[in-house]
């Protein structure tokens, strides 16, 4: 059988020379139960074509062993790949998306000047060439000739410029922060003082020059990651100061990408058909269906062949059960992300850092992580992957479970135990409303342990379970005390997750010292100096406690052995170049 995965589980060794960013300049995407973050990689990947045999091995490629067991439900689908996924929210526009599941669809529909490689670096994609001036202030992108949208309209750099205008519009409410990239004239466009961004110069239909007022380590890849939005489609009703006409097309996307969205049934499925005129070559798999699954349903759907692939919770029971089926490849690798418990910093009870520290000391995180993932996850204390060049453990408090220390900190913060055993301060009982996703093994482990631990501290937990999108809505509105979710990271540590008023700061955290360090890190071009700056930033977060960092787990994709040619790494999603994949007949 042909082998199909580029397993780059030691790729961070290469990233010491890489300064990369993600589309839109952000480095995180919310996911439901933990696209966690750091992890000690104790084993190198096995050579392609081999199967891990060591019972302690916790990453690598576990190959299918008997394809004769493949169910006819799967083998009878000759031209259709069915992918299991958490239900997308339906924001099929990369400028406005706020979940990893919408992002999967958007990566198939839209393209940009650059694409991500398996090692976390970036390469030209729609761009024929990218030139940077000696002073780092001018970036010239040349579009490949012959690129068209799926409706047949030729793509031009004017569509890239249109996307920049939408991002800089004062009414833009997506998760990117384009003003932070200091494009000349961007602020004036945002303020409505100009109807053009003066730093963007259209040289011809295939060439655009972008001038910035400040050099950063991320500018080229930020610009290179902005998706082309066809102005003839998205811009026909757009007026500066109101992006609602653009957002109105979120469920009817049009791009240059590998696939065309044909239907979206919320909570059920997304169907897509190959773009036969794709500039890089027509996809070899004609149809792709993203079918909504949960942790309760996905294993059974893989077993029956109803879906060909899905991201699975990597624990010992699941890996053993999936291997026993015989016809699945299991690709396991360190997650570039982290699971966390967010707390609302606008609530008075969470404003004292001693209280926040007590909530970490007083929660047995190791017990939760062990219960869910066993050897496939580690407790973390900084929001960065151990595979990253920016990771540090120097000067980092581990916050190992210590109920007495937690009690002492709460006492110092003025929260005293009442006659009913619940702490109170200024007439307020210490009650926490906690939200987690339903049918989620992590939440199922958190709730009893958190309830028991915090009861001993004198804190009352009131829990609710909701679907992922409902929790996103609650956090968007600020209607929460605590919630469990996860962030997926990109190779560069730049992020707005904890920045004061940051685009992705769901918890409303604010820390001037951290803000200043992150600004320094973004503007510094020397990677060794950047390491020092981010180490200080993580030490500041570790001391001040923005949220309760839980774990970095390992990600796992269970994939029917009939699927060939997928490329999956901690940094590269399989959809990035899905057009190359094939189905064995």
């Amino acid at each position: 059988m042909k082998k199909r995965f580029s397993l780059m589980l030691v790729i961070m060794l290469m990233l010491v020379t890489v300064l990369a960013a993600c589309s839109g300049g952000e480095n995180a995407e919310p996911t439901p139960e933990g696209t966690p973050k750091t992890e000690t990689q104790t084993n190198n990947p096995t050579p392609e074509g081999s199967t891990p045999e060591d019972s302690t091995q916790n990453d690598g490629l576990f190959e299918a062993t008997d394809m004769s067991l493949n169910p006819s439900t799967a083998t009878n689908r000759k031209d259709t790949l069915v992918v299991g996924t958490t239900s997308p929210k339906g924001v099929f526009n990369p400028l406005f998306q706020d979940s990893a599941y919408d992002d999967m669809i958007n990566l198939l529909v839209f393209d940009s000047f650059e694409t991500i490689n398996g090692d976390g670096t970036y390469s030209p994609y729609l761009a024929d060439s990218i030139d940077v001036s000696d002073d780092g202030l001018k970036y010239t992108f040349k579009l490949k000739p012959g690129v068209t949208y799926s409706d047949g309209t030729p793509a031009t750099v004017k569509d890239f410029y249109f996307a920049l205008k939408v991002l800089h519009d004062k009414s833009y409410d997506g998760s990117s922060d384009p003003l932070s990239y200091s494009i000349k004239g961007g602020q004036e466009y945002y303020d409505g003082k100009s109807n053009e961004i003066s730093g963007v110069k259209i040289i011809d239909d295939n060439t655009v020059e972008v001038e910035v007022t400040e050099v950063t380590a991320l500018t080229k890849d930020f610009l290179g990651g902005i998706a082309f939005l066809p102005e003839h489609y998205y811009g026909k009703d757009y007026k500066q100061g109101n992006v609602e006409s653009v957002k109105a097309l979120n469920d009817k996307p049009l791009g240059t990408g590998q696939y065309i969205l044909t239907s979206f049934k919320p909570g059920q499925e997304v169907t897509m058909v190959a773009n036969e005129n794709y500039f890089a070559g027509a996809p070899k798999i004609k149809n792709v269906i993203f079918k909504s699954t949960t942790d309760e349903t996905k294993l059974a759907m893989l077993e029956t062949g109803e879906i060909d692939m899905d991201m699975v919770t990597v624990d010992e029971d699941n890996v053993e059960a999936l291997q026993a089926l015989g016809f699945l490849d299991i690709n396991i690798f360190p997650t570039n992300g982290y699971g966390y418990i967010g707390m609302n910093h606008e609530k008075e009870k969470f404003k004292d850092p001693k209280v926040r520290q007590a909530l970490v000391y007083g929660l047995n995180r190791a017990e939760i992580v062990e219960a869910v993932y066993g050897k496939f996850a580690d407790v973390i204390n900084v929001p960065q992957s151990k595979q990253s060049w920016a990771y540090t453990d120097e000067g980092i408090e581990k916050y190992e479970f210590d109920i007495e220390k937690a009690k002492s900190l709460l006492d110092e913060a003025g929260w005293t135990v009442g006659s009913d055993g619940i702490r109170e301060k200024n007439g307020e009982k210490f009650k926490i409303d906690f939200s987690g996703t339903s049918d989620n093994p992590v939440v199922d482990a958190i709730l009893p342990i958190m309830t028991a631990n915090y009861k001993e501290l004198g804190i009352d937990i009131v829990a609710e379970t909701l679907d992922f999108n409902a929790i996103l809505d609650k956090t968007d509105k600020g209607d929460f005390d605590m919630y469990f979710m996860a962030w997926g990271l990109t190779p560069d540590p730049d992020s707005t997750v904890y920045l004061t008023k940051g685009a992705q700061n769901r918890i409303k955290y604010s820390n001037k010292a951290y803000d200043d360090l992150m600004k320094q890190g973004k503007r510094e071009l020397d990677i060794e100096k950047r390491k020092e700056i981010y180490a200080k930033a993580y030490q500041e977060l570790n001391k001040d406690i923005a949220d309760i960092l839980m774990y970095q787990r390992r990600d796992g994709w269970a994939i029917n052995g009939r699927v060939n040619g997928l490329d999956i790494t901690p940094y590269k999603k399989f959809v990035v170049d899905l057009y190359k994949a094939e189905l064995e007949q």
Side-chain angles (χ1 to χ4, degrees):
M1 179 182 299
K2 296 174 288 183
K3 255 348 318 151
R4 41 189 76 82
F5 301 109
S6 295
L7 293 180
M8 298 184 176
L9 303 182
V10 289
I11 56 185
M12 281 288 67
L13 295 176
M14 295 182 276
L15 285 179
V16 294
T17 58
V18 173
L19 297 177
C22 73
S23 176
E26 310 304 336
N27 85 331
E29 293 174 321
T31 55
E33 43 76 31
T35 311
K37 91 172 242 146
T38 105
E39 175 81 350
T40 303
Q41 185 179 330
T42 55
N43 297 286
N44 290 328
T46 57
E48 199 163 294
S50 67
T51 300
E53 296 179 354
D54 183 353
S55 62
T56 65
Q57 182 147 347
N58 50 17
D59 52 43
L61 174 62
F62 297 71
E63 290 189 26
T65 55
D66 188 351
M67 290 304 297
S68 68
L69 299 174
N70 205 4
S72 59
T73 308
T75 58
N76 288 341
R77 288 194 302 269
K78 303 299 183 185
D79 62 358
T80 301
L81 175 72
V82 183
V83 182
T85 181
T86 296
S87 298
K89 196 173 181 179
V91 184
F92 301 134
N93 182 325
L95 274 59
F96 295 95
Q97 68 185 30
D98 63 0
S99 89
Y101 309 104
D102 288 340
D103 183 51
M104 281 202 297
I105 308 301
N106 290 330
L107 284 169
L108 291 175
V109 175
F110 298 91
D111 292 317
S112 52
F113 278 128
E114 289 187 333
T115 188
I116 194 166
N117 302 312
D119 63 358
T121 61
Y122 289 81
S123 295
Y125 199 58
L126 288 184
D128 227 2
S129 64
I130 303 173
D131 294 318
V132 183
S133 63
D134 291 341
D135 61 6
L137 296 177
K138 289 185 179 179
Y139 299 79
T140 303
F141 296 86
K142 186 171 285 290
L143 175 66
K144 288 180 178 177
V147 178
T148 63
Y149 294 101
S150 58
D151 66 354
T153 304
T156 77
V157 294
K158 295 175 184 176
D159 302 317
F160 167 79
Y161 181 31
F162 174 69
L164 279 178
K165 284 184 171 181
V166 173
L167 285 168
H168 283 81
D169 196 287
K170 194 173 186 67
S171 67
Y172 171 73
D173 58 356
S175 61
S176 292
D177 185 18
L179 290 176
S180 68
Y181 288 88
S182 304
I183 297 175
K184 184 178 179 180
Q187 185 69 56
E188 288 74 15
Y189 188 86
Y190 176 85
D191 291 336
K193 296 178 180 178
S194 173
N195 58 8
E196 301 293 340
I197 301 174
S198 61
V200 181
K201 181 180 180 181
I202 304 296
I203 296 173
D204 57 46
D205 281 352
N206 284 62
T207 311
V208 62
E209 178 187 276
V210 182
E211 183 177 358
V212 299
T213 59
E214 171 182 66
V215 178
T216 80
L218 312 175
T219 303
K220 180 178 75 71
D221 296 320
F222 163 74
L223 295 172
I226 294 172
F228 273 53
L229 286 191
E231 186 173 15
H232 76 276
Y233 182 69
Y234 288 97
K236 55 188 177 183
D237 296 318
Y238 167 70
K239 291 181 176 58
Q240 186 178 1
N242 189 340
V243 298
E244 290 306 311
S245 64
V246 179
K247 294 168 66 175
L249 297 170
N250 280 351
D251 61 345
K252 304 176 187 68
L254 176 67
T256 62
Q258 309 163 58
Y259 283 86
I260 303 165
L261 188 146
T262 56
S263 72
F264 169 51
K265 298 177 183 177
Q268 298 181 51
E269 66 182 30
V270 179
T271 60
M272 311 187 78
V273 65
N275 179 2
E276 297 297 334
N277 297 313
Y278 189 50
F279 82 96
K284 296 175 182 178
I285 300 174
K286 183 176 181 181
N287 304 294
V288 177
I289 298 172
F290 289 86
K291 188 177 288 291
S292 297
T293 61
T294 68
D295 281 307
E296 298 292 312
T297 63
K298 63 180 64 176
L299 296 188
M301 294 169 75
L302 285 163
E303 181 175 1
T304 62
E306 186 177 350
I307 58 176
D308 290 304
M309 58 186 291
D310 205 339
M311 218 171 188
V312 296
T313 298
V314 180
D315 60 35
E316 295 178 25
D317 290 341
N318 281 350
V319 171
E320 183 178 346
L322 291 167
Q323 282 184 291
L325 296 177
F327 59 88
L328 295 174
D329 290 326
I330 308 165
N331 187 11
I332 300 174
F333 49 87
T335 304
N336 189 39
Y338 59 95
Y340 72 101
I341 295 173
M343 63 185 85
N344 190 339
H345 286 257
E346 292 187 330
K347 298 290 182 77
E348 192 63 36
K349 58 194 167 192
F350 298 126
K351 289 186 176 180
D352 189 331
K354 289 183 179 179
V355 171
R356 301 195 296 268
Q357 291 173 356
L359 293 173
V360 185
Y361 277 120
L363 181 63
N364 197 333
R365 296 179 295 159
E367 183 180 5
I368 293 168
V369 173
E370 172 65 26
V372 180
Y373 295 115
K375 66 183 180 182
F376 293 107
D378 299 313
V379 174
I380 60 166
N381 292 292
V382 298
Q384 185 52 266
S385 167
K386 286 183 181 176
Q387 282 69 46
S388 170
W389 56 264
Y391 175 80
T392 187
D393 58 5
E394 292 183 11
I396 299 299
E397 169 62 40
K398 293 183 178 180
Y399 288 96
E400 293 176 346
F401 182 56
D402 188 335
I403 203 78
E404 295 306 318
K405 188 163 189 174
K407 289 179 180 179
S408 177
L409 285 165
L410 289 172
D411 291 340
E412 291 176 28
W415 287 91
T416 59
V417 179
S419 58
D420 59 356
I422 303 300
R423 289 180 183 267
E424 56 186 55
K425 181 180 180 181
N426 298 329
E428 178 188 0
K429 293 287 187 181
F430 206 141
K431 184 187 82 167
I432 295 175
D433 293 319
F434 176 86
S435 300
T437 46
S438 52
D439 296 329
N440 184 328
V442 183
V443 173
D444 291 344
I446 287 174
L447 286 178
I449 295 172
M450 173 185 278
T451 301
N453 290 166
Y454 284 1
K455 181 179 180 180
E456 188 174 352
L457 287 180
I459 298 172
D460 184 26
I461 296 292
V462 178
E464 65 177 350
T465 56
L466 305 166
D467 68 39
F468 175 53
N469 291 326
I471 294 179
L472 281 181
D473 289 339
K474 284 176 71 72
T475 62
D476 288 342
K477 296 173 184 174
D479 179 24
F480 69 94
D481 280 353
M482 274 188 171
Y483 64 89
F484 174 75
M485 205 176 283
W487 283 116
L489 303 175
T490 59
D492 197 276
D494 183 65
S495 168
T496 65
V497 168
Y498 303 110
L499 283 182
T500 301
K501 297 183 179 180
Q504 293 179 305
N505 188 345
R506 293 180 176 276
I507 58 176
K508 308 303 180 186
Y509 176 70
S510 180
N511 180 325
K512 186 179 184 304
Y514 174 80
D515 293 347
D516 291 344
L517 287 163
M518 292 301 286
K519 288 176 184 176
Q520 290 177 36
K522 185 174 181 177
R523 292 169 180 166
E524 177 58 58
L525 301 184
D526 183 279
I527 195 166
E528 293 303 322
K529 292 180 180 178
R530 291 189 85 203
K531 285 182 185 179
E532 295 174 6
I533 293 167
Y534 288 117
K536 292 177 182 177
Y538 296 141
Q539 289 161 2
E540 181 63 32
L541 283 182
N542 175 254
K543 175 183 66 177
D544 196 45
I545 302 296
D547 49 20
I548 302 177
L549 299 173
M550 292 298 293
Y551 59 81
Q552 180 193 16
R553 67 177 183 186
R554 282 165 176 78
D555 274 340
W557 278 93
I559 303 175
N560 193 295
R562 75 192 190 104
V563 185
N564 291 322
L566 296 182
D567 190 6
I568 307 175
T569 79
Y571 305 101
K572 183 177 180 180
K573 298 178 180 180
F574 76 94
V575 289
V576 169
D577 50 16
L578 181 59
Y579 71 96
K580 297 178 181 179
E582 299 180 83
L583 299 177
E584 277 189 3
Q585 303 301 322

